[in-house]
Amino acid sequence: MDLAAWPRVPLAHLPTPLEPMPRLGRSMGGGASVWVKRDDATGLAGGGNKTRKLEYLAAQAQAAGADWLVTTGGVQSNHARQTAAAAARLGMGCDLVLTRAVPDRDTAYEATGNIQLDQLLGAWVHIHPAGTDRTEAMDAVAATRRGEGHTPFVIPTGGSTETGSLGYVRAALELVNQAAERDLRLDAVIAPASSGGTLAGLLVGMQALNHSARVIGIDVEADATTTRRTVAGLAASTAYELGVTPPAAERLHIEGAYAGPAYGIPTEATLAAARRGARTEGLVLDPVYSAKAMAGLLDLVETGTLTGSETAVFLHTGGLPGLFAYPEAGP
Ligand SMILES: *Cc1c(COP(=O)(O)O)cnc(C)c1O
């Protein structure tokens, strides 16, 4: 595998820290060895997992002669915020097509957190109703920019393309190296799964290294069947792009029990996991992604699916700004 052959714009603070979570581990009983890979600390305008994908996507945009990034997500999209910051850093314009993907939120939801940062970062924000065809809406915005003489580059939801996923192939290499430096056996990596690029990249990276660590995705979409299909498809196309063997179907684990009723709706278990991360390790998790993944990790250890003798790494994917749109997540 020759990852260096793909152009990459450095945007993230790398390597992100790999830290033990001894107090959280003890609270689970059984002496579980749990670590956290701090991709919330990638550093770009609040950080998060999208920055690694954007290192490759922005390079692809530049290679295509683009001077403008167009992307999409929910109103509190962390991906949109990191894209707006990448565009600012690279002197590009940015349009964000945001859909009201989560029903019944209050007015603060559309004023604070990620959307506040999008506007501060100078992006053009377009809010659309739930159910809007995001691809069509982005194409319309891109056509307008083209009419103005710009060269837009359209990035789909979550930056989850073969190119974006390369960021997490690279992250897998980084993690395996860090574990080796510490003589840490790496048995499992747990991460939230939504648009799928993070999990697909991790899977392809582990496979390419012939590493046996289980990569476990916690579905946050409340549709594990679709998430599984998305991740499988993206892992296959990312492996093809890299010229490596695609991960076998049995390597793909998607846990569907922790998403709650819908995307963006935290359950009591989500909020409890957020409090536990915060109060044992000072780790701030968000109610849409990372706290659902933490609820999954806690349950998988406490029910013995991950045994106490295994070493599990929790990938903290970020999302802190979105927390402020959920004032109920705290007390
Ligand atoms: C986008 C996002 C995820 C999900 O990553 P995908 O690559 O879309 O599956 C997880 N956590 C946070 C905080 C995110 O913003």
Side-chain angles (χ1 to χ4, degrees):
M1 174 172 66
D2 184 18
L3 206 48
W6 272 264
R8 182 176 73 88
V9 182
L11 293 169
H13 299 170
L14 300 177
T16 57
L18 176 64
E19 299 172 335
M21 298 193 288
R23 286 174 48 82
L24 182 70
R26 279 197 298 277
S27 82
M28 294 182 199
S33 173
V34 285
W35 291 65
V36 58
K37 175 73 172 152
R38 295 292 306 271
D39 274 17
D40 58 317
T42 53
L44 182 67
N49 63 335
K50 302 313 180 307
T51 304
R52 288 187 189 266
K53 300 179 184 180
L54 285 162
E55 290 196 324
Y56 287 99
L57 291 164
Q60 189 184 23
Q62 287 183 328
D67 64 353
W68 209 278
L69 298 179
V70 179
T71 199
T72 189
V75 168
Q76 284 295 334
S77 168
N78 299 297
H79 164 67
R81 181 238 322 151
Q82 288 162 84
T83 303
R89 275 272 288 273
L90 300 172
M92 302 168 104
C94 184
D95 279 295
L96 302 175
V97 170
L98 305 181
T99 63
R100 292 190 165 114
V102 182
D104 304 327
R105 300 301 305 176
D106 59 15
T107 49
Y109 189 81
E110 293 192 4
T112 188
N114 282 298
I115 195 164
Q116 179 181 355
L117 295 174
D118 296 341
Q119 283 159 337
L120 178 64
L121 291 160
W124 301 81
V125 171
H126 315 268
I127 297 188
H128 291 266
T132 300
D133 185 320
R134 288 176 171 174
T135 308
E136 264 176 32
M138 286 195 292
D139 287 348
V141 169
T144 304
R145 293 303 177 199
R146 244 176 249 113
E148 294 167 0
H150 291 291
T151 306
F153 182 85
V154 175
I155 299 174
T157 304
S160 284
T161 66
E162 297 77 56
T163 304
S165 299
L166 295 178
Y168 272 89
V169 176
R170 195 161 184 274
L173 311 191
E174 183 181 299
L175 175 58
V176 166
N177 283 334
Q178 280 176 317
E181 278 165 15
R182 288 151 205 257
D183 277 327
L184 194 70
R185 209 185 64 207
L186 192 58
D187 295 304
V189 183
I190 288 89
S194 176
S195 67
T198 302
L199 211 74
L202 288 174
L203 270 167
V204 171
M206 289 299 178
Q207 166 87 18
L209 292 170
N210 242 326
H211 198 290
S212 62
R214 282 192 279 167
V215 177
I216 303 174
I218 308 295
D219 173 50
V220 303
E221 295 282 324
D223 185 357
T225 307
T226 304
T227 300
R228 188 172 205 290
R229 200 178 304 128
T230 307
V231 173
L234 206 46
S237 56
T238 304
Y240 181 80
E241 168 111 353
L242 273 168
V244 301
T245 314
E250 60 270 19
R251 283 211 71 165
L252 174 53
H253 306 277
I254 299 287
E255 298 290 339
Y258 311 103
Y263 171 81
I265 313 274
T267 67
E268 190 38 55
T270 315
L271 300 179
R275 287 191 293 268
R276 215 154 130 194
R279 293 172 194 187
T280 58
E281 298 290 348
L283 204 64
V284 179
L285 304 169
D286 79 292
V288 180
Y289 300 98
S290 54
K292 285 184 176 176
M294 179 59 81
L297 170 64
L298 294 171
D299 191 56
L300 293 174
V301 172
E302 286 166 353
T303 57
T305 304
L306 285 169
T307 67
S309 61
E310 287 184 299
T311 300
V313 172
F314 177 77
L315 181 73
H316 191 336
T317 46
L320 188 145
L323 177 65
F324 298 115
Y326 287 82
E328 70 270 35

